[in-house]
Structure formats: structure tokens, C-alpha cells
Amino acid sequence: MGIDILKSKLKEHGKRITPQRIVVYNTLKESTIHPNAEELHQEIIKKHPNISLATVYQILNLFEDELRIVKSISTNHIKHYDIRSEFHIHTICPKCGEIEDIYSDKIKLFWENLIEELRLKPEDQIIKIYQVCSACSKKKEI
Amino acid sequence: MGIDILKSKLKEHGKRITPQRIVVYNTLKESTIHPNAEELHQEIIKKHPNISLATVYQILNLFEDELRIVKSISTNHIKHYDIRSEFHIHTICPKCGEIEDIYSDKIKLFWENLIEELRLKPEDQIIKIYQVCSACSKKKEI
DNA sequence: CTCCGTGCAAATGGTTTGCATCTTA
DNA sequence: TAAGATGCAAACCATTTGCACGGAG
């Protein structure tokens, strides 16, 4: 399924199909968090110990800038990656930095109305809501 | 005007009023772009050559994390600062990185309805639209 | 067989930090 | 005059890059 999409995107852009690119793609697809390059690399080397961190960085840049199959969300100075293509927004906890997705037809509708109203032609968008996550709000403040 | 707000915020947080903090605040207020730390420092040293870049960084962190009077927008790995407190969204040019503000009562109303609808309690939000700016769209592609 | 992609290590560069000095309250 | 802020330079660390080797087409 997904791998075929990757393969056709690679061909379309004159890029080669390599095991490293497939592993990065699959690991991102399977990830439940929004990993940064380091976390993604850690996950990958559990099964493929030979893939270097630099390669992961290079592949993520390829996926983001040329193939446009991932988006990055920066928190502090670290890029976190998201391979979900469906329209959604992110909540970010200002305390622990956890990123969550929110999918909602209402948000999508809101957004479509908005860009029409403003006559915008966005290539992409990032909508981040800073909101203390449930785990952090349970912790007592000192 | 604005400086009184800064002064009361500083007192409120037990921080001292220093010439450097005032200059950073005023320069941000007067800036028409969304400067990063380096650009802000360059602007500042035109009139106050003794302020160091490290101090500008420290003050920006103070303003963002403790006083909450500025917001940062990251493009690539660089933080750009925005002191406007009124609700607005940003467009970012994927080619040149230029950031523009969009103010709109309709957007504000949409947004307020949306967060009520979703029962969210945002402390803050960042809404970024990636869209080629007019200057870049005029340039011929090779 | 030719290049593109990878792995490694070194470089980069925006940001942070340690410390001595200066300033605010 | 004591705690906090600044300036300088060095350190940090996420990311990028140069280069030799290896693998895809």
C-alpha cells in the first residue's frame, strides 16, 4: 500500500528506491508519536542497526522538501515529523512538549471557509494550539 | 505607553528594569518585519552599540517564556519574534521565508467559535499559512 | 558500469552558558 | 550593598556537509 506510493513518488522525482528510504517511510507510518530525527533513528536501528543518523536527516529532508510526503513541526529547536496527509491540527503541551493530533470535520470546514474568505491559496498550513496536556494538568504544581 | 506595560510586567515577575530590556522592547515594537535575534541585534546596535547578542537572546527568552509578551515563529531553525498581541495569523513564503501578518475580525470570530465548539482551552496558538509571496511569484522560474 | 545514496566524522551556526564585571533596587 | 543583569567567549547540540565507499538502475 503505502510503499507503492513512496516508490512512485521517488520515481516521479528521479530518485532511487533504497532500503533506507523504505525503512524511514515505514517507521514514520507506524509511529504513534511525532518523532524527531533522533527518535526516529533510535526506533529504526532496533531492526536496522546500520542506518546512520545523517542518512535519516537526509531522507527526512528529501521527504519534506522534494517529495512533500512529510511535514515538520518545530518545538524549541527540534523538528518533529508528521506523515499524516489528512487535514488536522496539533496541540502542543507547553510543559512537556507532547504533540497530539486533532482531526475534525468542523476544523476542516472552518479552514476551508477561512481561506476562501481571505482569498488565499495556501500550499500548506500549520495550526498549533498550545494547551497543557491532560497528564501535565494532573501533576501538582509546587 | 508601551513601556509602562513592560515595566509593570517586569515588576510583577520580580525582574529589574534595565536599559537593554527597554531597548529590545521598543525595537521590537517599532519593527515592521518579524526579526530574528540577529536582525534585532543589528537594528539595536545602530543606536546602542554596547548591547551584546547574548543579552538580546536572554531578553527574548524572558519576554517569551516568563513575561509572555512576545511569541516566536520558527522558520527553518531560526526563531522570528512577534510582539503583536492582537489575534492574527501568519503567511510564510516557502521560497524566501518572508512572514506577513493577517488581521481579520472574521478569522478571530471563526477561531473563537471553533475553540468553543471543540472545548479547547488554548493558552496560545500559532496559525501559519505557507504561500508564495507576491514578490517571489513575480520572479520567473528557470 | 555509472552515478546516486550512504556512512562516517568533521564542520556549521543559531542559541545557551560560565564567569567576571557592572547595575538596579 | 547584595542579588540580578550584562558582555564576552567558549560550549552546546541539532543539523548539514565532504568525501570515500557501496549499491541501484
Side-chain angles (χ1 to χ4, degrees):
Chain A
M1 275 298 289
I3 294 184
D4 291 337
I5 294 170
L6 173 64
K7 287 182 179 172
S8 63
K9 281 269 184 187
L10 286 170
K11 279 180 187 164
E12 184 186 323
H13 289 263
K15 300 293 176 182
R16 292 181 177 170
I17 296 162
T18 68
Q20 290 88 340
R21 286 169 178 174
I22 291 173
V23 169
V24 167
Y25 182 85
N26 283 335
T27 309
L28 264 178
K29 275 279 183 190
E30 287 157 14
S31 176
T32 55
I33 61 174
H34 295 77
N36 59 32
E38 181 78 44
E39 289 165 340
L40 190 60
H41 181 243
Q42 285 301 317
E43 187 60 33
I44 287 170
I45 58 175
K46 286 180 187 170
K47 293 186 179 173
H48 305 83
N50 303 325
I51 299 184
S52 79
L53 180 56
T55 299
V56 171
Y57 274 106
Q58 288 164 139
I59 292 174
L60 287 171
N61 285 340
L62 172 71
F63 284 5
E64 183 173 21
D65 300 332
E66 296 194 61
L67 307 195
R68 307 245 175 221
I69 56 176
V70 304
K71 277 164 74 170
S72 66
I73 311 149
S74 346
T75 59
N76 301 323
H77 297 166
I78 303 174
K79 277 183 164 184
H80 291 257
Y81 288 89
D82 187 350
I83 202 167
R84 311 292 296 263
S85 54
E86 213 180 321
F87 184 92
H88 64 286
I89 69 176
H90 299 281
T91 60
I92 300 176
C93 176
K95 307 212 175 200
C96 69
E98 195 200 31
I99 302 170
E100 285 178 39
D101 295 326
I102 298 182
Y103 292 88
S104 154
D105 288 339
K106 279 179 184 156
I107 301 175
K108 199 176 170 186
L109 196 59
F110 155 80
W111 189 256
E112 285 162 358
N113 285 337
L114 185 62
I115 60 172
E116 191 176 346
E117 190 83 54
L118 298 173
R119 299 174 200 290
L120 298 172
K121 299 278 177 224
E123 294 184 2
D124 201 359
Q125 63 280 320
I126 300 269
I127 305 177
K128 300 197 273 193
I129 292 182
Y130 292 89
Q131 179 175 266
V132 178
C133 72
S134 51
C136 283
S137 64
K138 281 174 192 155
K139 290 175 198 157
K140 279 270 184 291
E141 295 283 348
I142 298 177
Chain B
M1 275 296 290
I3 295 184
D4 291 338
I5 293 171
L6 173 63
K7 288 182 179 173
S8 62
K9 280 270 186 186
L10 287 168
K11 280 181 187 164
E12 186 186 323
H13 289 263
K15 300 292 176 183
R16 292 181 177 170
I17 297 162
T18 67
Q20 290 88 341
R21 286 170 180 173
I22 290 173
V23 169
V24 167
Y25 183 85
N26 283 336
T27 309
L28 264 178
K29 275 279 184 192
E30 287 158 15
S31 176
T32 56
I33 60 174
H34 295 78
N36 60 30
E38 182 77 42
E39 289 165 340
L40 190 60
H41 181 243
Q42 286 301 316
E43 187 61 31
I44 287 171
I45 58 174
K46 287 181 187 170
K47 294 186 178 172
H48 305 84
N50 303 324
I51 299 185
S52 79
L53 180 56
T55 299
V56 171
Y57 273 107
Q58 289 164 132
I59 291 175
L60 287 171
N61 285 340
L62 172 71
F63 284 5
E64 182 174 21
D65 300 333
E66 297 193 60
L67 307 195
R68 306 241 175 228
I69 56 176
V70 305
K71 277 163 74 170
S72 66
I73 310 149
S74 353
T75 58
N76 303 323
H77 297 166
I78 304 175
K79 277 182 165 184
H80 291 256
Y81 289 88
D82 187 350
I83 201 168
R84 313 290 297 261
S85 54
E86 213 181 321
F87 183 93
H88 63 284
I89 68 178
H90 299 282
T91 59
I92 300 177
C93 177
K95 306 211 176 199
C96 69
E98 195 199 31
I99 302 171
E100 285 179 39
D101 295 326
I102 299 181
Y103 292 88
S104 155
D105 288 338
K106 281 179 183 157
I107 302 175
K108 198 178 171 186
L109 197 60
F110 272 129
W111 186 255
E112 284 162 358
N113 286 337
L114 185 64
I115 61 172
E116 192 175 347
E117 191 85 55
L118 299 172
R119 300 175 197 291
L120 298 173
K121 298 279 177 220
E123 294 183 3
D124 201 357
Q125 64 279 320
I126 299 269
I127 304 178
K128 299 197 275 195
I129 292 180
Y130 291 89
Q131 179 174 266
V132 177
C133 73
S134 51
C136 283
S137 66
K138 281 174 194 158
K139 290 173 198 158
K140 279 272 184 294
E141 296 282 350
I142 298 174

